[in-house]
Amino acid sequence: MNDRRSFYFLWVSQMMSNGGDVLYIVGLIQLVYVSSGSVLTLTLIPLTITFSRLVGSYLTPLLLHRFPLRQILLFSMVGKIIVLSGVFLCKEESILWILILVSVIAFLDGWATPIRQAMLPELVGKSELPKANSLVAISYNTINLVSWPIGAFFVALYSGGTLLLVSIGLYMFAWMLTYGIKAIPHIKKDVQSVFQQLSGGWKYSFSIKPIRNILLLDTLTAFAGAVWISAILYVYVDEVIEKSTAWWGYINAFYSGGFLIGGYLFAKLMKIPAHLMIGVGCFLTSLLTVWFLFPFYASMALVISLFLGVFGQLQLIAQLTALQTHTDTDQLGHVFSVQSVLVTDAFGIATFIFGLIAEWFGINHAFYLSTVVMVVSGLFTIKQRKTFYYA
């Protein structure tokens, strides 16, 4: 299928949804931090999100066997609107209630993430995937670039509750736009046991070496990337560069700006072999991470964040495109479900580990661990370079 109209509806609806996600997280972190004043409590937010998203992604194959992709995406979005409304109403309640509702939203996101990634090759075709991935990445990071400073501004002037209301409105707009996506034909398969449905994608993914290696690299980079969670950066701003809360938003904005530039550059650098794009990204990210701890000037931290975003984005799009082109069309949803489980699991474990390290030994040691993992990722890419290519 090559349906530009549906692609544009998917593209815009997800921009709105992504904007809502950023504002919702900014607002939630502010509410929880004001209530608890604990760094470890802040890390419970991404930990709760990643664990619940893990469960949702793992169960996605059960939906893929029963419903069309668009319908699953619509179910997820309606659920997020309802539950986030519940978070707004319970924002003055105990943190436990808030975390329970947040976990439900993340569970629904666990469906949506692999579905969106599977829909893209179906709508544009493999030949247009690099350009489509680049465009989606540019728009996604443009939204992040705008949303983080806006979120920080609203938090400084009003409260996290205001951002929750804005997020609900964006989710509703995204839900309506999703109806503009043409339904992708759903092929009903023979009835399988629950175990067969859940394990089929795993068997397929790990039976093909290029897919297996890309998934392993995705897992390693997700682990290393957990150090950049907003809760850790919140403390970095306070302890390392000793600036106001607004700088938390500035760093995220520059990081997202780097991702924006990286998405644009990928469209220009598509002819560079995937293994070079990925390997260079790993090693440069590790070097910049160490430098980030010793910026000399606060403004230098912003510049480093920008370059971290550029090289990180080039690497991620190269990995995504390679994974999409190596995967059979009818297995896309299953492979991205596997990827989502692995990435979410790694991110969740790393979030908890980095939170403990930051609490007990200081955030410097958390960044050092991230650097080591990125170096290992780069070495793995060099060793397995023959499997990292666009099919």
Side-chain angles (χ1 to χ4, degrees), residues 169-184:
L170 289 173
Y171 286 158
M172 293 181 68
F173 187 38
W175 168 65
M176 290 185 288
L177 286 173
T178 303
Y179 278 99
I181 302 172
K182 185 177 180 180
I184 297 172

Side-chain angles (χ1 to χ4, degrees), residues 86-385:
V87 174
F88 175 76
L89 295 175
C90 296
K91 65 182 184 296
E92 303 297 335
E93 302 296 329
S94 69
I95 293 175
L96 177 61
W97 277 108
I98 293 176
L99 291 178
I100 289 174
L101 293 174
V102 167
S103 71
V104 176
I105 294 175
F107 176 81
L108 296 171
D109 262 336
W111 300 356
T113 301
I115 296 303
R116 288 196 299 264
Q117 292 173 324
M119 289 178 76
L120 191 58
E122 292 270 21
L123 296 177
V124 302
K126 287 189 176 182
S127 63
E128 295 294 319
L129 266 179
K131 292 182 180 178
N133 283 331
S134 180
L135 178 60
V136 169
I138 290 171
S139 59
Y140 173 80
N141 290 291
T142 299
I143 292 297
N144 274 351
L145 183 64
V146 173
S147 298
W148 280 107
I150 288 177
F153 176 78
F154 268 85
V155 163
L157 289 185
Y158 303 105
S159 67
T162 303
L163 290 181
L164 297 185
L165 284 176
V166 175
S167 296
I168 292 170
L170 289 173
Y171 286 158
M172 293 181 68
F173 187 38
W175 168 65
M176 290 185 288
L177 286 173
T178 303
Y179 278 99
I181 302 172
K182 185 177 180 180
I184 297 172
H186 179 244
I187 301 174
K188 291 187 177 181
K189 300 179 180 179
D190 295 336
V191 178
Q192 298 176 319
S193 68
V194 172
F195 176 77
Q196 288 175 318
Q197 293 177 53
L198 293 176
S199 64
W202 291 84
K203 290 179 180 178
Y204 173 85
S205 299
F206 286 91
S207 66
I208 301 173
K209 190 173 183 179
I211 295 178
R212 182 172 68 244
N213 285 343
I214 295 168
L215 290 175
L216 178 57
L217 188 61
D218 284 340
T219 303
L220 289 172
T221 52
F223 186 98
V227 78
W228 300 102
I229 60 174
S230 298
I232 297 293
L233 287 180
Y234 197 96
V235 181
Y236 171 87
V237 168
D238 183 51
E239 295 184 359
V240 177
I241 61 175
E242 299 179 345
K243 292 292 182 178
S244 68
T245 305
W247 277 73
W248 174 47
Y250 301 155
I251 289 175
N252 278 294
F254 271 76
Y255 188 72
S256 298
F259 266 64
L260 173 61
I261 296 171
Y264 173 78
L265 289 177
F266 184 83
K268 304 294 182 181
L269 303 174
M270 288 187 296
K271 293 183 180 180
I272 296 178
H275 71 274
L276 284 179
M277 192 88 74
I278 296 168
V280 170
C282 290
F283 288 121
L284 288 178
T285 297
S286 63
L287 290 173
L288 289 168
T289 300
V290 175
W291 191 10
F292 188 70
L293 291 173
F294 308 98
F296 301 109
Y297 303 101
S299 57
M300 183 59 69
L302 300 180
V303 176
I304 296 170
S305 298
L306 182 73
F307 281 102
L308 279 165
V310 171
F311 296 116
Q313 181 70 301
L314 289 172
Q315 176 191 343
L316 289 175
I317 299 179
Q319 290 172 207
L320 174 61
T321 304
L323 183 60
Q324 289 170 327
T325 56
H326 278 288
T327 305
D328 294 331
T329 301
D330 63 335
Q331 293 293 327
L332 282 166
H334 297 276
V335 169
F336 280 110
S337 173
V338 171
Q339 184 211 40
S340 186
V341 170
L342 291 173
V343 167
T344 304
D345 202 6
F347 188 87
I349 294 171
T351 295
F352 184 67
I353 292 174
F354 286 137
L356 288 179
I357 291 174
E359 186 85 5
W360 294 342
F361 306 108
I363 62 170
N364 283 23
H365 291 81
F367 282 99
Y368 291 147
L369 176 57
S370 175
T371 299
V372 171
V373 176
M374 287 306 297
V375 171
V376 171
S377 300
L379 295 174
F380 175 74
T381 302
I382 293 174
K383 184 177 181 181
Q384 299 292 333
R385 59 187 177 277

